[in-house]
Amino acid sequence: MTDLHFSVDDAIARMAAGEEIAVKAHRATRWFKWFVFLQAAFALAFTLSIDVATVPY
């Protein structure tokens, strides 16, 4: 069980790394909802152009 003990410096470094990872993850997912909305709008426009406007595929 001695391998489960961390020094204070190691614990501080792990906490800092965890916070940095959380910031990067938030930055990566910040625009995801807009990407999904834009993708849905393109899919709707494509469907309407094919089905309603009878644009040839």
Side-chain angles (χ1 to χ4, degrees):
M1 285 283 201
T2 59
D3 60 338
L4 298 179
H5 295 273
F6 299 108
S7 68
V8 174
D9 294 332
D10 193 26
I12 291 171
R14 288 176 186 243
M15 289 296 292
E19 290 174 4
E20 182 180 344
I21 290 169
V23 168
K24 287 182 180 180
H26 179 68
R27 186 182 313 142
T29 59
R30 185 180 342 174
W31 299 104
F32 183 73
K33 61 183 170 185
W34 296 108
F35 171 73
V36 169
F37 176 75
L38 185 62
Q39 187 177 14
F42 280 133
L44 179 63
F46 180 77
T47 301
L48 291 176
S49 68
I50 298 294
D51 293 340
V52 176
T54 63
V55 174
Y57 182 66

